Amino acid sequence: MPPSDQIVPYRVCFVCAGNICRSPMAEAVFRARVEKAGLTPWVSVTSAGTGDWHVGEQADARTLDALAARGYDAGWHRAKQFDSAWFPQLDLVVALDRGHERALRDWAPTPADADKVSLLMSFDTTYPGILDVPDPYYADARTFDRVLGMIEGASLALFRQLEPAIRQGALR
């Protein structure tokens, strides 16, 4: 493995509205995939919200419960708002729905930065025609679990797409 000061990780940020439900789920799931594959030094994973309503708060308790029930931990999470100044430091900005995607593309300082924005569900063919991960905030625990299932599938598909390039970069 190269010295840590020579590693330039692939940087991914998952974005939803308030950074307490969907994007922390996606961050925790994707981070677990990266850790399981032994690629932690080569991938940086974070999340944020388009709004500032929950900055500094933990993830919603229902998010934490749904994650814990499937073996994920996100107790470390604190909500933050996405800052367009982050674009140059990010390789991929993953929006959880089309509203977030539009906002992020509008905030992108350059066309190249706007091209970094993708919808999470665009990576998963399990739900044809579904581009948005539903917001479970006003729903029950079952909805949080269903949303987590969608995020798991799409995150796996995204990871499988990125993994070969990340491994190739890790071997340099």
Side-chain angles (χ1 to χ4, degrees):
M1 174 166 31
S4 61
D5 63 343
Q6 293 179 5
I7 295 173
V8 178
Y10 188 84
R11 297 147 309 187
V12 180
C13 182
F14 294 94
V15 181
C16 70
N19 194 217
I20 60 167
C21 297
R22 293 170 286 177
S23 58
M25 283 182 183
E27 179 183 3
V29 168
F30 200 78
R31 185 180 300 227
R33 284 261 170 235
V34 168
E35 289 172 1
K36 185 176 179 182
L39 295 172
T40 302
W42 292 277
V43 183
S44 171
V45 185
T46 190
S47 65
T50 56
D52 65 355
W53 314 282
H54 300 287
V55 169
E57 295 177 17
Q58 280 192 300
D60 186 285
R62 296 163 296 176
T63 296
L64 296 172
D65 290 347
L67 286 166
R70 294 195 189 194
Y72 303 103
D73 175 37
W76 42 264
H77 176 79
R78 294 298 176 271
K80 56 190 166 291
Q81 184 177 19
F82 188 87
D83 185 334
S84 63
W86 299 351
F87 269 107
Q89 288 80 42
L90 294 169
D91 298 296
L92 180 63
V93 180
V94 183
L96 277 287
D97 71 31
R98 288 171 287 180
H100 307 131
E101 179 190 34
R102 278 189 301 278
L104 291 162
R105 287 184 190 276
D106 286 346
W107 296 346
T110 68
D113 289 323
D115 287 344
K116 295 176 181 180
V117 179
S118 293
L119 281 167
L120 179 61
M121 292 306 292
S122 70
F123 296 96
D124 190 358
T125 59
T126 307
Y127 299 95
I130 296 186
L131 297 174
D132 298 334
V133 175
D135 187 352
Y137 186 74
Y138 293 104
D140 59 11
R142 280 188 15 206
T143 304
F144 275 78
D145 188 59
R146 184 173 53 85
V147 164
L148 178 55
M150 291 175 74
I151 289 171
E152 282 180 315
S155 293
L156 175 58
L158 170 59
F159 182 76
R160 285 183 175 156
Q161 184 172 336
L162 295 177
E163 184 181 22
I166 292 168
R167 286 197 182 280
Q168 185 175 11
L171 296 175
R172 289 189 187 141

